[in-house]
Amino acid sequence: MTKAASVPSPAPSPAATPWPAERAPGCPFDPPPSVTALLDTDPVSRVTLWNGASAWLVTRHADQVALLRDPRVSADNTRPGYPSMSAGSDAIRARHRAFITMDEPEHTERRRLYTGNFTVKATERLRPRIRRIIDDLLDAMERQGPPADLVTAFALPLPSLVICELLGVPYEDHDFFQRASAAIIDTRSTPQAAVSASQELVDYLRDLILRKAERPGDDLLSRMATEQLATGLGTEDECANEARLLLVAGHETTANMIALGTCAFLQHPDQLAAVRDGDARQVAGAVEEMLRYLTITHMGRRRVALKDIEIGGVRIAAGDGILCVSETANRDPSVFASPDRLDVTRSSRQHMAFGSGPHQCLGQNLARVELQEAYPALLRRFPGLRLDRPLEDIPFRTAAVVYGVRELPLTW
């Protein structure tokens, strides 16, 4: 990838594809066909955003990896040209900033304060506790009897309990922070609703951190209080904003992967059987494949060009917004054979579900452990598991930063 002024940058076109695009009816697990078609026809193309602005949509795996690792591309959502996600996110972004939208070296300096909590070794130490939480939730489901909504009974409580214990957030407050999180990630939220939810969550977490400064425990918020506030490594605002990021991302993404992945497995009984009956290695591979196949972060990883960049034969000019669409990268036939087929026996570790480059998802190791434990435990506990209504009647979350199901009624 090199700078090339000789390649003209097309002007935004009134006929540019609207973004986000709609999925095909009856195909809730697949990206919009109009977008996957661009892999062959127009891999770097203009799209029109909700507010009328334009950005470059990048669909191919190799182009996305190159851009997400290029220092000429910025993740700073306060820069002019950054592709806005919604009116609500616009209202939040300047007020509640965390390391995920910072550039180097600021990004690495803030991120490294938390990496020790999310290493492979650290998350493996949590596996026995995650298993106990799963067993308790499945016991409760079994006692209640069918039908049950998997979202409220299992998929949402599991990662919420885990991230609460890791951060030191009281789980009894889960109704509050789950409601606030839902408003923050909903692209239909008004600016007032989004800012209000975000501010309430930041204020709540700031108060927790300050209380832990007086009586620290063995949790991440306590370490923020004692290792950042007390030493000047972080301000109250920085700690509270980053705690908000960790709390919201720590339960929303995995909760949707558990529920949506279960729904997908139920439509593919041969793949379900391989996970239910597989050993730990086979289950780990199946999780990677499901991460590839679903790609629930479906709004695109958003960046802005700092300098002119040539990618895919197109010149992206300095100041242009960029959307790297992970779900098309994960359906790129140059990387994955028969990419539209769910195949838990394939090697899928090249997937882009967690992004690429310095901003690759901090919590990916924790998500992997939770999914590796959740899927087989659920499927083994309830071998007759099935949807309690037709697939076409399942409500999918299309207007949210994280794709999933609003509810998943199951019986067994």
Side-chain angles (χ1 to χ4, degrees):
M1 185 170 59
T2 58
K3 180 177 176 179
S6 61
V7 181
S9 178
S13 166
T17 305
W19 181 261
E22 293 187 2
R23 295 173 187 253
C27 300
F29 309 119
D30 296 329
S34 62
V35 180
T36 50
L38 297 172
L39 283 163
D40 292 325
T41 62
D42 205 2
V44 182
S45 59
R46 284 283 192 177
V47 291
T48 301
L49 306 179
W50 66 276
N51 58 357
S54 65
W56 292 102
L57 191 76
V58 181
T59 56
R60 287 180 179 168
H61 188 283
D63 292 342
Q64 290 188 32
V65 170
L67 284 170
L68 293 173
R69 296 179 179 181
D70 194 317
R72 296 173 295 174
V73 172
S74 172
D76 185 348
N77 63 2
T78 65
R79 289 182 180 273
Y82 185 91
S84 168
M85 186 174 295
S86 66
S89 67
D90 269 3
I92 291 173
R93 65 183 181 176
R95 183 184 293 242
H96 296 146
R97 194 160 173 255
F99 61 83
I100 195 172
T101 57
M102 295 175 184
D103 292 333
E104 306 307 327
E106 187 181 16
H107 164 260
T108 297
E109 290 171 357
R110 295 300 308 167
R111 179 185 170 113
R112 71 160 56 103
L113 296 169
Y114 310 107
T115 52
N117 300 95
F118 296 97
T119 63
V120 171
K121 183 180 291 187
T123 52
E124 281 297 325
R125 286 198 295 267
L126 297 174
R127 194 181 288 269
R129 176 58 182 147
I130 290 170
R131 286 174 178 164
R132 290 194 296 274
I133 293 172
I134 287 171
D135 286 342
D136 289 345
L137 293 171
L138 294 180
D139 287 347
M141 270 184 67
E142 195 167 20
R143 285 194 301 270
Q144 176 188 313
D149 173 22
L150 190 73
V151 174
T152 57
F154 183 66
L156 188 55
L158 168 57
S160 297
L161 281 160
V162 173
I163 198 65
C164 279
E165 290 190 10
L166 183 62
L167 291 176
V169 171
Y171 181 71
E172 55 264 30
D173 295 334
H174 68 275
D175 284 341
F176 158 67
F177 70 71
Q178 287 169 354
R179 184 172 60 252
S181 298
I184 290 168
I185 70 168
D186 192 332
T187 58
R188 300 165 302 182
S189 290
T190 65
Q192 296 80 6
V195 167
S196 175
S198 184
Q199 189 64 55
E200 286 179 8
L201 198 49
V202 166
D203 290 343
Y204 165 80
L205 291 164
R206 179 188 287 108
D207 181 62
L208 268 181
I209 293 167
L210 292 175
R211 282 156 47 195
K212 287 175 183 292
E214 301 297 323
R215 299 186 63 182
D218 184 21
D219 56 65
L220 187 48
L221 294 189
S222 293
R223 287 191 287 280
M224 284 184 179
T226 58
E227 297 173 11
Q228 293 189 47
L229 289 185
T231 63
L233 282 175
T235 66
E236 289 183 18
D237 282 346
E238 286 173 328
C239 291
N241 287 334
E242 286 165 3
R244 182 194 72 111
L245 168 66
L246 296 172
L247 180 59
V248 174
H251 75 275
E252 280 286 355
T253 50
T254 307
N256 282 282
M257 270 301 302
I258 292 170
L260 189 64
T262 299
C263 187
F265 277 131
L266 292 173
Q267 306 308 306
H268 298 83
D270 56 332
Q271 306 298 302
L272 182 153
V275 173
R276 183 193 61 215
D277 304 332
D279 59 23
R281 181 187 59 81
Q282 292 167 322
V283 169
V287 165
E288 300 305 317
E289 170 65 355
M290 190 58 83
L291 287 163
R292 179 200 72 85
Y293 183 71
L294 294 179
T295 319
I296 59 171
T297 50
H298 67 139
M299 291 290 184
R301 285 184 164 78
R302 293 165 187 251
R303 301 290 189 268
V304 60
L306 299 178
K307 298 180 180 179
D308 292 358
I309 301 171
E310 183 191 345
I311 192 79
V314 172
R315 183 175 67 87
I316 296 177
D320 284 354
I322 300 169
L323 299 177
C324 291
V325 192
S326 302
E327 61 264 45
T328 57
N330 286 340
R331 299 296 181 97
D332 189 335
S334 70
V335 181
F336 305 102
S338 303
D340 294 330
R341 179 167 56 90
L342 178 64
D343 179 5
V344 298
T345 65
R346 80 163 88 220
S347 175
S348 301
R349 285 302 290 256
Q350 295 184 74
H351 69 73
M352 295 283 286
F354 297 120
S356 185
H359 286 81
Q360 197 171 31
C361 176
L362 175 67
Q364 60 183 289
N365 295 318
L366 179 59
R368 285 187 168 104
V369 171
E370 290 174 330
L371 296 173
Q372 289 164 9
E373 295 297 329
Y375 289 141
L378 173 67
L379 299 176
R380 291 166 186 165
R381 178 70 71 95
F382 304 111
L385 198 68
R386 61 191 184 276
L387 293 179
D388 193 47
R389 66 177 68 162
L391 180 65
E392 55 268 26
D393 292 337
I394 299 296
F396 290 88
R397 301 177 71 193
T398 56
V401 176
V402 182
Y403 182 63
V405 292
R406 291 199 294 274
E407 58 180 298
L408 191 68
L410 300 177
T411 190
W412 53 87

